[in-house]
Amino acid sequence: MVADAFSHVSAWVFDLDNTLYPPEARLFDQIEVRMTAWVSETLGVTEPEADRLRSHYWAKYGTTLAGLMEEHGVDPAPYLTHVHEIDLSHLEQDMDLRAHITDLPGRRIVYTNGSEPYARRVLEARGLGGLFDAVYGVEHAGFRPKPEQVAFETVFAKDGLDATVAAMFEDDARNLAAPHAMGMRTVHVAPEAAPADHIHHHTADLTDFLSGLARTLPPKRRPA
């Protein structure tokens, strides 16, 4: 049974974007527009070229920011503030998801390639505010992005997390390779499966997946 594969897990790590809210919310449509505008203005290039660079850096480095830092030496702070100033009013609260995450035994964490302030805004909009023991953004990894293993190692060291008793939920399949190598249980949360040796489980519905776990996992063993 699937639950048996999680019986050892005492730390639950969730990506944010397109994981703790559905892809249909399309927050990245807004973010990508702001990324392109920022790159165009900062680098002095046309918007089509800025859009090309945005996509190219994401594919090559894991995030557009990582490429901008590596190849142009940009200051990450103004970039992160600008690109995440988006409208969240259409996000719907998900009390079922909140209940199932609450039922998970152990420590609950969010780790995103976005910023912590942005993550906390999204969590509040989804009705998940105050639910997690910690929220980590790319700034906590020294601005190194997932999928780099050093980014995971940096964040997990700050948290004191033991990867061998943890699970990672993530919409970007490539971001599960390092967690798998570190001994984590990996769950790909996406509309379509992406079969790979580093992916243990796939779900198109995180709420449904967690509801199945909550019914079969042992009682909470959160620290006193």
Side-chain angles (χ1 to χ4, degrees), residues 6-7 11 21 30 39 44 54 57 62 90 103 119 130 147 154 170 190:
F6 293 85
S7 61
Y21 64 80
Q30 297 184 63
V39 171
R54 176 193 59 76
Y57 291 155
H90 65 291
D103 287 340
T154 301
E170 168 75 57

Side-chain angles (χ1 to χ4, degrees), residues 5-6 8-11 149 152-153 156 161-168 176-186 198 200:
F6 293 85
H8 68 294
V9 173
S10 60
Q149 185 162 326
F152 289 94
E153 292 171 343
F156 293 168
L161 181 145
D162 178 357
T164 65
V165 292
M168 182 81 203
L176 291 171
H180 180 274
M182 298 168 71
M184 299 180 76
R185 201 74 192 168
T186 58
H198 65 271
H200 293 123

Side-chain angles (χ1 to χ4, degrees), residues 162-206:
D162 178 357
T164 65
V165 292
M168 182 81 203
F169 296 80
E170 168 75 57
D171 74 296
D172 190 339
R174 65 181 176 167
N175 291 348
L176 291 171
H180 180 274
M182 298 168 71
M184 299 180 76
R185 201 74 192 168
T186 58
V187 184
H188 184 211
V189 183
E192 301 294 332
D197 290 343
H198 65 271
I199 295 174
H200 293 123
H201 309 278
H202 166 263
T203 182
D205 186 332
L206 178 62

Side-chain angles (χ1 to χ4, degrees), residues 25-111:
R26 305 191 69 86
L27 295 191
F28 259 84
D29 287 2
Q30 297 184 63
I31 292 172
E32 287 175 357
V33 167
R34 297 186 68 81
M35 285 180 177
T36 297
W38 194 93
V39 171
S40 176
E41 180 177 349
T42 301
L43 300 187
V45 299
T46 66
E47 288 213 352
E49 174 62 7
D51 192 50
R52 185 193 71 80
L53 289 173
R54 176 193 59 76
S55 179
H56 170 66
Y57 291 155
W58 177 84
K60 182 176 180 180
Y61 294 101
T63 61
T64 299
L65 174 60
L68 290 169
M69 292 177 66
E70 179 69 23
E71 300 201 13
H72 304 280
V74 304
D75 180 354
Y79 170 90
L80 287 171
T81 298
H82 177 85
V83 303
H84 290 127
E85 289 178 343
I86 63 171
D87 178 23
L88 305 178
S89 62
H90 65 291
L91 280 183
E92 297 180 356
Q93 296 195 349
D94 190 335
M95 293 299 101
D96 287 339
L97 178 58
R98 182 183 181 92
H100 296 319
I101 294 175
T102 298
D103 287 340
L104 292 173
R107 188 167 170 79
R108 302 175 300 242
I109 298 164
V110 171
Y111 172 31

